[in-house]
Amino acid sequence: MARGHLASKAGHFRQVQDTTRQTPAQDSTKKPAQPAAAASAQQTVSGVVVDEKGVPMPGVSVRLQSNPQKGTVTDASGKFSIAVPNANSILAFSFIGYEPLARPAGSGQAPLSIKLTPSGNNNLNDVVVVGYGTLRQKEVTSSVAHLDTAQFRQSGARNPLDLIQGKVAGLQITRTSGSNPNSGTSVQLRGVVSVKGSASPLFVIDGIPGGNPDLLQQDDILSVDVLKDGSGAAIYGTSANAGVILITTKKGKPGKPTVNYSAYARKEFIYNRPDFLSADEFRQKIAEGQIRQQDFGNSTDFFDELVNHSNLSQNHNLALSGGTDKTNYRASVNYRDLQGIALENNRKEYTLRLNVNQKAFDDKVNVQLNLVTNTNHANLLGGGGWEEDATKNPTLSNFNPDGSYRFDTQSTNQYARLFQETNGRKQQTSSADAKVDIDIFKGLKGSVFGSIQRDSYIDASYRTLASEDSQENSDYPGGGYASKGTALFQDYAFEPTLQYNGNVGESHTFSAVAGYSYRYHVEEGQSMDNRGFLNDQFEENNLSDGTALIDGKANMSSFKNDNTLIAFFGRVNYTFMGKYLAQAILRREGSSRFGANNKWGNFPAVSVGWNISQEDFMKNVKWVNFLKLRAGYGVTGNSGFANNASRLTLGRGGKYLYPDGSYRETYGPDRNPNPDLRFEKKKETNIGLDFTLLNSKLSGSIDVFNRTTSDLLDTYTTPQPPYIRSEIYTNVGQISSKGIELALSYAAIKRKDFSWSLDMTASTLRNTLDSYSNSLYTREYIEFGGIGGAGALGNAITTFEGGRLGEFYGKRFAGFTPEGKWLFWNRNGEAVTNDRINPSRDRSLSDLAPIGNAIPKYYASLTNNFTYKNFDLRIFLRGRFDYDILNTTAITYGNRTWSGNLLRNTFTKYAGISDTYMYSDYYLESGSHVKIDEVTFGYRFKIKQNKYINSVRVYATGQNLATITGYTGNDPDFIQDTGLGPGIDSRGPYPTTRSFLFGLNVGF
């Protein structure tokens, strides 16, 4: 692809960095002012910068080597112009992925022609964000994954994390609600780290800790960095147990003003729907006597009637950027209309973003300001009811013979509900942050960062007088229902820091950062509902008119709580001769959530690196371009639990008649205080290897980690007395995970008109509950994974102390009796009927046993990137391997005991069952699968000598094109694989879709 046609679109380039930046030891002291004659001798030099193919390169840094503060960047045509003191001045040219070049300015009579060549180690000078600063990749000593716009997925992100799903080894991102536009993602890094505490990584957006991903649109994101191990994440203390995801948005750059427009339209189609009988098949089974049901004479596909066949989602982003070396800006506006595959299930968003950078006082002060606001309207009414409608008798109808909606007390008319009810959210989320950097003296910089986030919404719903809910309500039949709720969440952060960069001689280089962090979170809200409305005119906007309020049967509630977190932190990085690297971190943090005896905690970390390839003994090893060994150890915490969890709180005890004849509300303790409550603590060791081999064709990293989380939080039974209540929230137990992660990139072919490269990630994981008891509190096991459905079958997963997480624990199928009754193996290896099975959790007595595991042992992804002239093609595959899924749809609807519609497999695979619902390994299936997840085909038009348009690219993307699996239930990729109760295939998930997207990127 021609670089000149790419660069004006910021989304296709990494951020420009000045790789010629000198160390503090090389900086000269402040020079005396030049004489007037010398100043007047300055001249202007112009020229053009091209790449190895002769294509102009926009965004190249051009600076005076004698004064790196003075410089510019090339424009969209690769041209530059810069003032120099004299013809002998040295100009330094740099661009990420290319070798830096120094050239004399010359007389200025003729334009300079500069040609840059690709760097031998393309990615080693890439800048990664590491928290309160940045490092070049070759300087990193902890486990950090860096992705920029070139690696992002292109299928239209509903959530920012969709951009990197499958792209980071060890990071699991699952959409259990599929393509529902109002759903989020489930995120887990390197396994489960907590039972009841927060399990989600910390998001840091443009430096804002706890940033809100709702404020991000895909075209505004520049890069994502993931701090995977404790040696890097410790800088964030008690927020970092589950890892840290740092997101950097695009900023303005000096140069010619540019305008970029991006848009896409997406159409979705049902891909994998439950395999139930059609109306004709159902009738046939009735006629054959295989099911005992009534034929009502209709043929209705209830499932299909909930589908929005006319769905069409669209996204538009317009960005303006530009400025000078003193002031630059970037502003964008984004409109997004996401329509789900379900009727009455959509989301409309409007986002405004502004970034301004201003230098002052001879460039010693830099002020950065970010403002962003998002308004969204979410229609929450649709998106459910799939299980109920898929399993209804298909000879029924949604309508009566007279055309009115048909209601019955045994089920809900899900189709009618979509036209007789409303349920929506109006949300406004805003953020403002500012950072002031001050160069105090050579090598020392001070920064002050502050941010405010405000997230508020109004939820409102209404059910008309004619709705099924109103008609069947026993208290106010035929009276409407309305509810309304509001919530406000506010976050404040203030973080001043000092940063120092210096060196001793030519061998020792230091950098350090020290700072203070203050974070305050407050939330409040209220909700109310009423019934018995006499008309539908006001919907939820006149709540006081409902009869239930007059009768004292309306509901009202409200809440407010807050928490404060403060910390002191520091980090030191040291490099010796560019070969030996070391990093040390210490954070001391306190939280109002902790008990009175444990308000503060310390979080240390240390990591080291060895650039082996720079050793003398590696000089003749030509096939190794770069080789670095890393090792780190760090401690992080988890304060992600409820406010006031350590305190004695009061709750309502009911109304009682007092001697004066009045009824009064009583209050009493509803929680035991725990002054010793503290954060969960994770200790993690990580050893990694970064490499570039075979003339820089093959690059990647390998990481091996071992992490242990102690002081797990959960609720335990307490004796009364001495305790007030029967339970206490406290720290007991330990959980651990260990694994291996691999990331590879291979430039297989790189020719003038054709290139082929591959990116691969792979990981393996083992998660164990080491203990869940101590001398005071004892619990041998915990249960997860509710099966649901018919039969009240309880939980599918039992995790014993010392056992693996995700272990399915249950009966072992041994066959059927001649009458079709279940047979299971007992602990003696005998096939017995269910009534002779001992279901005790006492492992010395129980006939139950481990029957499978729901956590994938292996994850892998593969991206193939092809280019041919102006065409580009990307094929992305993902897979999970060696794990089990419980098919709960088959448990309930593959059994003729069910009174509604049945799976087709009921009469084939499950035909031998003539008994009640039962949970056993009979319904466990391998979940291993490979998904052709995304295929993108694009074309970039050649734009020659056009003063208005710099670049145009069109592309088409197909998502979820095929899944190769032996699993017979729903799409295994959308079944929960994170948390403590994974692998349970729900009976009515949001339908899996296949989508096709058409996009356009234009640079002006």
Side-chain angles (χ1 to χ4, degrees):
M1 291 182 290
R3 184 168 304 277
H5 305 322
L6 286 169
S8 61
K9 173 66 178 137
H12 292 76
F13 273 92
R14 296 174 177 148
Q15 189 174 14
V16 176
Q17 300 293 328
D18 184 4
T19 56
T20 62
R21 178 174 56 88
Q22 297 175 339
T23 62
Q26 294 170 310
D27 293 339
S28 59
T29 57
K30 187 174 181 180
K31 297 180 175 61
Q34 292 180 325
S40 63
Q42 285 199 350
Q43 61 189 47
T44 299
V45 174
S46 61
V48 63
V49 180
V50 299
D51 66 9
E52 72 279 11
K53 298 178 182 179
V55 177
M57 294 180 62
V60 175
S61 172
V62 185
R63 297 188 179 275
L64 278 172
Q65 197 172 71
S66 61
N67 185 2
Q69 300 298 323
K70 302 297 183 182
T72 184
V73 296
T74 57
D75 64 16
S77 301
K79 297 178 180 179
F80 68 91
S81 178
I82 185 172
V84 298
N86 53 63
N88 295 322
S89 299
I90 302 298
L91 294 179
F93 301 86
S94 61
F95 191 84
I96 282 182
Y98 285 76
E99 293 287 355
L101 180 68
R103 282 280 300 274
S107 64
Q109 299 299 316
L112 290 176
S113 180
I114 306 298
K115 184 176 183 179
L116 297 186
T117 58
S119 169
N121 297 319
N122 281 356
N123 66 329
L124 300 182
N125 288 314
D126 288 357
V127 172
V128 300
V129 181
V130 293
Y132 303 103
T134 59
L135 290 172
R136 289 183 294 174
Q137 284 196 346
K138 65 182 179 182
E139 301 169 338
V140 173
T141 54
S142 56
S143 181
V144 181
H146 174 79
L147 295 97
D148 59 23
T149 54
Q151 288 89 42
F152 290 166
R153 297 178 55 168
Q154 300 183 56
S155 51
R158 296 172 178 85
N159 179 286
L161 292 182
D162 290 343
L163 294 171
I164 62 171
Q165 185 183 25
K167 298 287 187 176
V168 178
L171 180 68
Q172 281 79 60
I173 299 173
T174 307
R175 272 196 163 275
T176 55
S177 294
S179 60
N180 189 331
N182 295 311
S183 69
T185 57
S186 175
V187 187
Q188 182 175 283
L189 179 63
R190 291 185 167 182
V192 178
V193 295
S194 180
V195 174
K196 291 294 178 67
S198 174
S200 176
L202 170 69
F203 290 92
V204 180
I205 301 174
D206 286 334
I208 302 177
N212 191 331
D214 286 344
L215 289 168
L216 296 169
Q217 302 296 338
Q218 65 176 44
D219 294 302
D220 293 327
I221 299 175
L222 176 68
S223 65
V224 178
D225 296 272
V226 182
L227 308 185
K228 299 203 288 185
D229 73 333
S231 67
I235 195 76
Y236 288 104
T238 63
S239 303
N241 244 22
V244 183
I245 297 178
L246 304 110
I247 300 176
T248 303
T249 62
K250 296 174 183 176
K251 305 295 190 298
K253 298 178 182 178
K256 176 184 175 182
T258 62
V259 178
N260 292 283
Y261 171 71
S262 300
Y264 69 74
R266 178 176 56 219
K267 179 75 174 179
E268 296 184 63
F269 303 87
I270 291 286
Y271 173 56
N272 184 8
R273 60 171 288 178
D275 193 21
F276 283 86
L277 297 173
S278 68
D280 289 339
E281 291 170 333
F282 193 82
R283 248 183 228 102
Q284 182 181 352
K285 297 300 180 186
I286 293 175
E288 294 171 352
Q290 296 197 54
I291 55 177
R292 297 179 181 178
Q293 296 293 322
Q294 182 177 350
D295 181 356
F296 292 96
N298 300 289
S299 295
T300 308
D301 188 343
F302 290 102
F303 187 95
D304 188 70
E305 289 195 354
L306 298 181
V307 174
N308 177 17
H309 291 285
S310 62
N311 73 87
L312 183 66
S313 297
Q314 57 181 310
N315 183 86
H316 303 270
N317 185 280
L318 182 67
L320 303 87
S321 64
T324 67
D325 60 341
K326 301 293 184 182
T327 305
N328 56 75
Y329 64 90
R330 185 180 187 273
S332 68
V333 56
N334 199 98
Y335 167 72
R336 187 163 67 158
D337 179 5
L338 300 180
Q339 296 186 12
I341 197 67
L343 291 172
E344 299 298 319
N345 174 225
N346 53 69
R347 181 185 185 94
K348 291 185 178 181
E349 295 188 40
Y350 309 84
T351 303
L352 298 173
R353 178 177 291 273
L354 174 65
N355 163 256
V356 178
N357 289 277
Q358 174 70 56
K359 292 182 179 180
F361 302 105
D362 293 328
D363 297 341
K364 293 185 179 297
V365 175
N366 185 77
V367 180
Q368 178 177 282
L369 177 67
N370 291 297
L371 299 171
V372 58
T373 185
N374 172 277
T375 300
N376 75 73
H377 294 171
N379 187 349
L380 306 175
L381 183 63
W386 301 105
E387 178 185 2
E388 183 171 11
D389 273 21
T391 60
K392 282 180 180 175
N393 183 328
T395 66
L396 288 168
S397 173
N398 280 321
F399 301 92
N400 294 313
D402 63 359
S404 62
Y405 292 120
R406 185 190 68 83
F407 300 143
D408 65 61
T409 57
Q410 305 302 312
S411 65
T412 300
N413 190 325
Q414 297 289 345
Y415 182 78
R417 188 178 63 84
L418 300 178
F419 301 96
Q420 295 183 321
E421 300 181 11
T422 60
N423 183 15
R425 170 172 291 183
K426 298 176 182 177
Q427 187 170 14
Q428 178 76 44
T429 307
S430 301
S431 173
D433 68 85
K435 185 180 182 184
V436 180
D437 297 320
I438 304 173
D439 290 331
I440 301 173
F441 54 78
K442 185 178 68 174
L444 182 65
K445 180 174 72 174
S447 300
V448 178
F449 174 83
S451 67
I452 300 174
Q453 295 185 93
R454 191 178 190 274
D455 182 10
S456 63
Y457 62 79
I458 300 174
D459 285 344
S461 67
Y462 186 72
R463 302 166 194 170
T464 64
L465 276 62
S467 69
E468 186 172 6
D469 178 81
S470 297
Q471 291 293 317
E472 296 178 355
N473 182 264
S474 57
D475 291 331
Y476 302 96
Y481 168 88
S483 69
K484 205 163 194 176
T486 64
L488 172 64
F489 305 88
Q490 298 179 87
D491 289 273
Y492 303 85
F494 175 69
E495 294 184 332
T497 58
L498 285 174
Q499 299 179 51
Y500 176 74
N501 292 278
N503 54 5
V504 177
E506 297 182 356
S507 300
H508 307 275
T509 303
F510 298 89
S511 66
V513 59
Y516 166 81
S517 178
Y518 170 86
R519 291 158 60 183
Y520 176 66
H521 171 84
V522 58
E523 57 187 49
E524 56 186 299
Q526 58 185 348
S527 64
M528 60 202 80
D529 64 72
N530 200 359
R531 275 194 181 274
F533 292 90
L534 301 179
N535 61 65
D536 297 324
Q537 298 303 310
F538 301 105
E539 297 184 326
E540 72 275 3
N541 299 311
N542 195 5
L543 280 174
S544 62
D545 272 10
T547 309
L549 180 62
I550 301 171
D551 296 340
K553 295 183 178 180
N555 297 300
M556 180 181 293
S557 64
S558 63
F559 69 91
K560 184 176 183 179
N561 59 74
D562 65 353
N563 68 82
T564 303
L565 185 149
I566 60 175
F568 303 89
F569 59 88
R571 178 179 62 222
V572 176
N573 289 82
Y574 166 71
T575 302
F576 176 62
M577 298 180 65
K579 301 179 183 179
Y580 311 109
L581 316 168
Q583 175 179 274
I585 293 172
L586 178 62
R587 182 177 178 110
R588 180 163 175 78
E589 188 169 272
S591 171
S592 62
R593 287 176 168 172
F594 303 154
N597 299 334
N598 287 293
K599 287 296 184 186
W600 289 86
N602 296 319
F603 303 94
V606 61
S607 57
V608 294
W610 177 24
N611 283 329
I612 304 173
S613 53
Q614 293 192 24
E615 297 288 354
D616 290 340
F617 62 80
M618 292 293 294
K619 289 182 178 179
N620 294 323
V621 185
K622 301 300 183 182
W623 59 276
V624 176
N625 305 101
F626 175 75
L627 187 65
K628 178 178 68 178
L629 180 66
R630 297 179 277 103
Y633 172 83
V635 179
T636 54
N638 188 352
S639 59
F641 53 88
N643 297 325
N644 303 312
S646 67
R647 299 173 179 171
L648 175 66
T649 56
L650 300 180
R652 295 169 61 181
K655 294 181 180 180
Y656 291 89
L657 181 65
Y658 274 61
D660 62 0
S662 301
Y663 281 91
R664 292 190 176 89
E665 182 65 65
T666 60
Y667 290 87
D670 65 355
R671 176 185 286 141
N672 283 320
N674 185 359
D676 296 319
L677 191 70
R678 56 193 178 275
F679 53 86
E680 297 177 336
K681 180 182 289 186
K682 185 191 74 183
K683 301 175 181 179
E684 182 171 10
T685 301
N686 190 97
I687 299 174
L689 187 70
D690 300 328
F691 53 87
T692 303
L693 312 172
L694 307 176
N695 196 25
S696 298
K697 276 195 168 187
L698 178 66
S699 61
S701 64
I702 302 174
D703 281 277
V704 180
F705 68 89
N706 189 346
R707 52 168 52 171
T708 300
T709 305
S710 58
D711 294 328
L712 294 178
L713 291 161
D714 204 349
T715 302
Y716 286 79
T717 302
T718 55
Q720 295 175 277
Y723 290 95
I724 304 170
R725 307 293 295 184
S726 61
E727 293 182 330
I728 191 170
Y729 194 60
T730 189
N731 301 89
V732 179
Q734 177 176 295
I735 198 170
S736 65
S737 64
K738 59 186 67 175
I740 303 172
E741 298 164 353
L742 173 67
L744 293 174
S745 293
Y746 180 61
I749 300 174
K750 189 174 182 181
R751 296 174 182 167
K752 180 180 179 181
D753 291 332
F754 178 74
S755 69
W756 172 33
S757 65
L758 301 95
D759 298 306
M760 188 192 84
T761 68
S763 64
T764 182
L765 176 74
R766 182 182 178 89
N767 233 159
T768 306
L769 182 68
D770 300 328
S771 67
Y772 218 58
S773 304
N774 62 16
S775 58
L776 293 178
Y777 307 105
T778 302
R779 186 179 299 170
E780 185 181 356
Y781 65 89
I782 44 180
E783 295 184 20
F784 307 98
I787 298 170
L793 299 177
N795 296 307
I797 293 174
T798 302
T799 304
F800 289 91
E801 284 190 305
R804 292 176 60 191
L805 297 183
E807 204 88 276
F808 287 112
Y809 195 77
K811 302 165 189 172
R812 295 166 293 164
F813 175 68
F816 297 103
T817 68
E819 298 77 26
K821 305 301 180 184
W822 294 101
L823 289 174
F824 302 107
W825 299 109
N826 66 14
R827 62 185 179 277
N828 298 319
E830 302 165 332
V832 299
T833 55
N834 182 61
D835 60 326
R836 296 176 57 191
I837 290 291
N838 184 344
S840 169
R841 291 301 192 273
D842 185 336
R843 286 178 286 182
S844 64
L845 302 173
S846 180
D847 289 320
L848 307 183
I851 55 177
N853 196 282
I855 299 177
K857 191 172 183 180
Y858 306 102
Y859 290 85
S861 72
L862 177 66
T863 306
N864 281 275
N865 300 288
F866 302 90
T867 65
Y868 176 70
K869 294 186 177 180
N870 288 10
F871 293 95
D872 60 87
L873 173 66
R874 176 186 293 182
I875 303 173
F876 177 53
L877 297 87
R878 288 189 297 117
R880 305 175 191 165
F881 307 95
D882 198 2
Y883 72 111
D884 301 298
I885 296 175
L886 179 62
N887 191 338
T888 65
T889 304
I891 290 178
T892 298
Y893 306 117
N895 189 319
R896 277 173 284 187
T897 304
W898 175 250
S899 59
N901 201 356
L902 293 163
L903 292 169
R904 289 190 174 93
N905 279 346
T906 305
F907 307 96
T908 54
K909 181 179 180 179
Y910 307 119
I913 303 173
S914 184
D915 202 349
T916 187
Y917 311 103
M918 201 66 63
Y919 159 56
S920 74
D921 59 358
Y922 180 75
Y923 293 107
L924 284 181
E925 302 179 36
S926 171
S928 296
H929 67 275
V930 173
K931 181 180 288 293
I932 303 176
D933 199 28
E934 189 175 281
V935 175
T936 298
F937 181 71
Y939 181 79
R940 186 169 301 278
F941 291 90
K942 289 185 176 181
I943 307 296
K944 294 183 178 179
Q945 297 179 347
N946 190 313
K947 65 179 181 180
Y948 297 110
I949 300 178
N950 295 322
S951 63
V952 177
R953 178 178 182 260
V954 294
Y955 63 97
T957 298
Q959 186 182 20
N960 196 22
L961 296 179
T963 302
I964 303 169
T965 182
Y967 182 65
T968 62
N970 297 300
D971 190 329
D973 186 54
F974 293 88
I975 297 170
Q976 188 81 33
D977 64 328
T978 60
L980 293 152
I984 311 296
D985 185 358
S986 60
R987 294 165 305 284
Y990 197 90
T992 303
T993 63
R994 176 185 288 134
S995 66
F996 296 94
L997 179 146
F998 298 92
L1000 169 70
N1001 300 322
V1002 183
F1004 300 93

